[in-house]
Amino acid sequence: MNKHTQLRKLGLFDARVPRYTSYPTAPHFSDTVGGDDVTDWLSALNPAEPISLYVHVPFCRRLCWFCACRTQGTTTAGPVAAYVETLKAELALVKAHLPAGIEIGHLHWGGGTPTLLEARMIADLSGAIHDLAPFVQDYEFSVEVDPNEIDDARLDALAAAGMNRASIGVQDFDPQIQETIGRIQSYETTKAAVEGLRARGIRSLNADILYGLPGQTREKISESVQKLLSLSPDRVALFGYAHVPWMARRQNMIPTDELPTPEERLDLFNTARDLFVWDNYAEIGIDHFAKKGDGLEVALRTGKLRRNFQGYTDDKCPTMVGIGASSIAKYPGGYAQNQPSTSKYQADVRAGLLPIAKGHRFTEEDHLRGRIIEALMCDFRVEAAELSEVYGLTQAEFNDFATSAAEAFPEMLDISSERIVIREEARPLTRMIARHFDAYDMTQAQHSSAV
């Protein structure tokens, strides 16, 4: 039986499963969590533990057809300027409940297009963040940079604000594929942005590239990956294009008859993966790659790799505070998501309210199952000793978990009384194996392809 036949038999090419950037996943959030809960969670934070801060900017100059993020288009600066004022007001609301002495360890600006902000807006927003809390000495400040939407003034403003990591979306360098997905971005434009960042001392560069796009072939993805490698990114996320037009209507612009089959998607992933590995990048989890010595590679090697809403991370902060429309926060007590509608978000903040739409309070079982899923997604293994020490899981309970997984995925796992390990050839099944440990009902959720 060849590898594809085994994977097909286990349902890989038909399954739709979560990406598990949280547990439980966002479809299971409810309106039982509100602003009062977040006020309590903020007030109860330990000042000795730095926090992460995520700031969401939902605006784009143009809406790329492939994108399923919550964004909106704008051709003028007015809505963006008003939104920045709302972000500043929300930061002030959060500050009112933060314990004295707390510091920021990680800061990430995502979107949308954060670099749509004019230089003066960047400086203004940065000042409000610095007013919220000071940064730890070895902080990380990353920004998602659109090479089509950046100039010297904005680069200078970001550098002055303290940005020390940039993340650039590449998707694919093939002009025909770019036209099909509504994202025109030449290699030359991308290279110029990278050079501008490095000229300003930005020490680390992330890049995102997609597989599974319409019209993609082994030859085309090989050429795009090699062009990306010529820019020498420190980290790469090799994401599978998620065709979810029921969630993102703009994806109806993409011709479905040009999308690769699930088997072809896996071949595209492996083609790109081999190029990164051959260029001496370390494999990080199911879809990331990093240079040796990069923080992600060090975290993997030392058993400290984690997963959050940005994907794989070396962020050690136990709390992530989300700022902006639709942003999600993680507190020791649970998740809280802001109003997804920009207008509702701004109305709540103008009324002096924390703009919480929904969330989830953690249970003890959530913590246990969430850690099992994270360990599988990060390390392809779960250790009985950790689950016993941290969560009080008995050997009998671990054995039940292991036996159930082995029955569901025969010959795909190495099982003992000490650990569950996903075999290397079974790693394409990782999200499906993680789902096996998910206790929540998924019959109503519509997730992306497992491959």
Side-chain angles (χ1 to χ4, degrees):
M1 187 184 298
N2 66 37
K3 184 178 179 181
H4 275 197
T5 301
Q6 283 183 299
L7 297 176
R8 184 182 299 107
K9 185 178 179 181
L10 289 167
L12 175 66
F13 300 126
D14 301 312
R16 291 188 171 274
V17 291
R19 294 185 183 271
Y20 287 114
T21 53
S22 70
Y23 183 80
T25 55
H28 300 291
F29 294 0
S30 73
D31 61 7
T32 58
V33 169
D36 290 343
D37 298 289
V38 173
T39 296
D40 293 340
W41 290 343
L42 286 167
S43 302
L45 292 177
N46 181 356
E49 295 179 329
I51 62 170
S52 290
L53 189 67
Y54 172 76
V55 179
H56 188 71
V57 179
F59 297 98
C60 293
R61 192 77 66 196
R62 68 199 185 292
L63 296 179
C64 304
W65 302 335
F66 74 90
C67 181
C69 296
R70 191 172 289 277
T71 60
Q72 60 194 82
T74 183
T75 57
T76 63
V80 183
Y83 183 79
V84 169
E85 291 302 311
T86 311
L87 291 176
K88 290 163 56 182
E90 186 187 3
L91 286 164
L93 290 172
V94 169
K95 182 180 179 180
H97 302 292
L98 279 179
I102 209 156
E103 295 178 304
I104 298 172
H106 274 235
L107 170 63
H108 183 79
W109 292 9
T113 308
T115 51
L116 195 68
L117 271 62
E118 297 175 352
R120 61 180 177 82
M121 299 178 194
I122 291 170
D124 202 18
L125 178 57
S126 173
I129 291 170
H130 281 272
D131 187 55
L132 175 74
F135 288 81
V136 300
Q137 187 171 1
D138 59 345
Y139 74 93
E140 180 175 291
F141 174 15
S142 59
V143 176
E144 294 173 14
V145 175
D146 181 351
N148 289 314
E149 195 63 54
I150 197 67
D151 54 25
D152 285 341
R154 284 176 281 184
L155 283 170
D156 288 341
L158 288 168
M163 178 180 73
N164 51 26
R165 181 181 292 280
S167 181
I168 289 183
V170 168
Q171 325 318 337
D172 192 289
F173 282 121
D174 183 85
Q176 185 176 353
I177 293 175
Q178 288 185 358
E179 193 157 332
T180 303
I181 66 174
R183 171 69 174 231
I184 306 302
Q185 179 183 312
S186 70
Y187 171 77
E188 290 73 23
T189 297
T190 307
K191 183 180 179 183
V194 170
E195 290 174 347
L197 289 161
R198 289 187 169 140
R200 288 162 176 81
I202 306 306
R203 61 176 174 82
S204 297
L205 177 70
N206 298 7
D208 296 345
I209 189 167
L210 293 178
Y211 69 92
L213 292 171
Q216 233 175 15
T217 63
R218 289 182 183 180
E219 292 74 22
K220 287 185 175 183
I221 200 170
S222 294
E223 184 174 354
S224 288
V225 168
Q226 289 177 66
K227 284 182 176 179
L228 177 57
L229 287 170
S230 74
L231 302 176
S232 193
D234 298 274
R235 300 178 185 176
V236 178
L238 175 60
F239 290 132
Y241 165 61
H243 192 63
V244 287
W246 56 87
M247 291 174 54
R249 285 181 293 176
R250 71 192 79 162
Q251 289 188 349
N252 286 309
M253 301 287 290
I254 291 178
T256 56
D257 59 342
E258 294 183 25
L259 291 171
T261 66
E263 290 89 342
E264 290 169 340
R265 282 172 63 95
L266 183 57
D267 287 338
L268 289 167
F269 173 84
N270 286 330
T271 298
R273 169 196 171 273
D274 289 345
L275 290 171
F276 289 121
V277 172
W278 289 338
D279 215 51
N280 208 31
Y281 281 73
E283 292 186 76
I284 309 294
I286 63 170
D287 55 14
H288 280 50
F289 302 85
K291 287 183 176 179
K292 304 297 172 61
D294 176 83
L296 274 190
E297 188 271 334
V298 174
L300 175 68
R301 188 159 26 91
T302 57
K304 297 178 180 178
L305 186 65
R306 293 293 180 263
R307 196 152 169 84
N308 65 17
F309 291 105
Q310 279 79 59
Y312 290 104
T313 182
D314 56 348
D315 181 1
K316 297 182 288 292
C317 300
T319 295
M320 175 181 285
V321 177
I323 301 294
S326 81
S327 66
I328 301 177
K330 181 182 181 182
Y331 299 97
Y335 295 116
Q337 183 170 19
N338 279 357
Q339 293 284 359
S341 160
T342 304
S343 59
K344 288 182 179 178
Y345 160 75
Q346 291 181 306
D348 277 3
V349 175
R350 281 195 297 267
L353 303 172
L354 289 172
I356 308 304
K358 55 186 177 180
H360 177 84
R361 290 184 193 84
F362 291 138
T363 66
E364 289 186 11
E365 186 176 6
D366 287 338
H367 288 300
L368 168 64
R369 290 181 179 270
R371 178 56 193 149
I372 291 172
I373 288 170
E374 183 181 52
L376 289 170
M377 295 288 292
C378 290
D379 304 312
F380 305 111
R381 62 198 296 130
V382 180
E383 299 289 341
E386 179 194 356
L387 300 183
S388 172
E389 180 181 351
V390 179
Y391 306 99
L393 193 72
T394 67
Q395 186 64 59
E397 291 169 331
F398 180 84
N399 292 343
D400 287 343
F401 274 137
T403 300
S404 175
E407 291 173 352
F409 300 95
E411 301 181 12
M412 296 290 109
L413 304 170
D414 288 325
I415 301 291
S416 71
S417 61
E418 297 177 340
R419 62 187 58 88
I420 303 168
V421 180
I422 300 175
R423 294 179 181 175
E424 186 168 352
E425 65 270 21
R427 288 183 180 181
L429 296 164
T430 297
R431 286 166 60 199
M432 291 180 63
I433 296 169
R435 181 185 63 179
H436 184 77
F437 293 93
D438 189 331
Y440 288 87
D441 179 17
M442 289 191 206
T443 55
Q444 302 302 314
Q446 295 179 303
H447 297 290
S448 60
S449 169
V451 64

